[in-house]
């Protein structure tokens, strides 16, 4: 028996679409910061893809986005599925950022009385949203993600990284599994959840056939394992380092389903696991503000080297 055709005419959907349009109700977004960071759309119904080479800062950026979204949207709850780092390490790094204390000082537990005020500020900031942030425990499978998100009431899901999380069912190979994963994530978004999917990218080849993570060669097709990743995402970004300045990265906006792509230039302070926008139109900072910022950032240097980004 032939399947019954399923479709809707424009007339069928016109009334509801028109009523929604004329209410003037804007889409819901979860802001993650000021300046250029305010242009990143993270919200219900959207799948946002974040990629980059190893060490480019993908996890650091994702966790900064999560924590600041929780700070700026008091009703938001978030579930993080990170297959490589335990919650303690993720919290270490956010404490470094929010407290202005080098990550190496926190990692090696070299805190002294001199860090007291900044430590208190960082801990207070983390405690402010701790009840609304959850970390998935193994197994790192999508069925467990869905069950935990429902139980916790998460409005934002973070999958880090998406190629290492198993979707339900059996699949011929990893590529087929990632295709299925993105299909499920789209369904999660359609159910009203915001999804931030962190993804690995593949190496590119230069003119001599050598493989590398050359920033200039990374593009929408660089996401490893699946073309479905880039097709299924509403927005896709790739973190790329600046060859001239190791503290500068570009968040390349390689896909935007709802508007024009807009690259963002960011300063990545690896010592503090912190990203800050480098806005070309940023207002001038006066001498008192500059002095205050210098004092705040002037944390003592640890005996051990600073951590790199992940």
């Amino acid at each position: 028996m032939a399947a019954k055709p399923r479709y809707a005419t424009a007339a069928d959907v016109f009334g509801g679409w028109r009523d929604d349009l004329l209410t003037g109700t804007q889409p819901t977004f979860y802001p993650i910061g000021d300046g250029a960071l305010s242009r990143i759309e993270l919200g219900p119904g959207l799948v946002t893809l974040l990629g980059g080479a190893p060490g480019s800062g993908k996890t650091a950026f994702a966790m900064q986005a999560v924590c600041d979204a929780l700070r700026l949207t008091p009703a938001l709850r978030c579930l993080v599925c990170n297959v490589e780092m335990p919650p303690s390490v993720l919290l270490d790094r956010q404490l470094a950022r929010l407290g202005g204390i080098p990550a190496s000082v926190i990692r090696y537990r070299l805190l002294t009385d001199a860090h007291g005020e900044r430590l208190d500020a960082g801990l207070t900031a983390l405690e402010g949203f701790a009840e609304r942030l959850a970390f998935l425990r193994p197994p790192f499978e999508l069925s467990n993600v869905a069950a935990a998100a429902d139980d916790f009431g998460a409005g934002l899901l973070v999958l880090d990284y998406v190629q290492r999380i198993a979707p339900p069912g059996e699949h011929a190979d990893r590529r087929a599994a990632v295709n299925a994963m993105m299909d499920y994530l789209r369904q999660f978004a359609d159910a009203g959840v915001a999804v931030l999917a962190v993804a690995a990218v593949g190496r590119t080849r230069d003119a001599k056939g050598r493989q590398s993570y050359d920033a200039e060669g990374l593009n929408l097709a660089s996401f490893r394992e699946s073309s479905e990743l880039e097709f299924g995402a509403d927005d896709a970004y790739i973190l790329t380092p600046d060859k001239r300045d190791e503290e500068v990265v570009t968040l390349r906006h390689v896909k935007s389903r709802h508007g024009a792509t807009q690259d963002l230039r960011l300063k990545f302070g690896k010592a503090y696991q912190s990203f800050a926008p480098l806005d070309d139109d940023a207002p001038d900072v006066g001498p008192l503000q500059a002095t205050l910022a210098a004092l705040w950032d002037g944390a003592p240097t640890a005996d051990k080297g600073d951590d790199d980004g992940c």
Side-chain angles (χ1 to χ4, degrees), residues 241-249 268-270:
D242 189 316
K243 293 182 179 180
R244 297 165 296 180
D245 188 337
E246 63 179 10
E247 288 194 339
V248 174
V249 298
F268 181 20
K270 291 187 178 181

Side-chain angles (χ1 to χ4, degrees), residues 1-5:
M1 178 182 294
K4 183 178 179 180

Side-chain angles (χ1 to χ4, degrees), residues 138-187:
F140 296 122
E141 299 172 350
L142 197 59
S143 57
N144 189 26
V145 172
D150 282 342
D151 187 72
F152 186 63
L156 171 61
L157 299 180
V158 178
L159 307 176
D160 186 3
Y161 58 92
V162 71
Q163 287 98 337
R164 299 263 322 261
I165 300 168
E170 296 184 2
H171 306 279
D173 52 29
R174 183 171 293 183
R175 183 181 183 86
V178 175
N179 285 346
M181 169 67 71
M182 181 52 79
D183 183 56
Y184 282 114
L185 295 186
R186 281 260 40 116
Q187 294 180 55

Side-chain angles (χ1 to χ4, degrees), residues 45 81 102-103 138 224 290:
C81 173
R224 190 182 298 169

Side-chain angles (χ1 to χ4, degrees), residues 13-25:
V13 301
F14 187 85
W17 165 78
R18 178 192 57 202
D19 292 345
D20 179 69
L21 173 70
L22 296 180
T23 62
T25 302

Side-chain angles (χ1 to χ4, degrees), residues 223-245:
F223 290 100
R224 190 182 298 169
E225 313 294 358
S226 173
S227 60
E228 192 63 28
L229 284 177
E230 57 262 30
F231 290 143
D234 293 283
D235 288 276
Y237 296 90
I238 296 180
L239 275 169
T240 58
D242 189 316
K243 293 182 179 180
R244 297 165 296 180
D245 188 337

Side-chain angles (χ1 to χ4, degrees), residues 26-31 41-48 73 76-77 154-157 185-196 234-235 258:
Q26 297 183 352
T28 298
F29 298 117
Y30 303 136
E41 295 187 353
L42 196 68
L46 299 176
V47 176
T48 304
T73 306
L76 180 63
R77 301 172 72 84
L156 171 61
L157 299 180
L185 295 186
R186 281 260 40 116
Q187 294 180 55
F188 286 0
D190 291 342
V193 175
V195 178
L196 176 57
D234 293 283
D235 288 276
H258 304 288

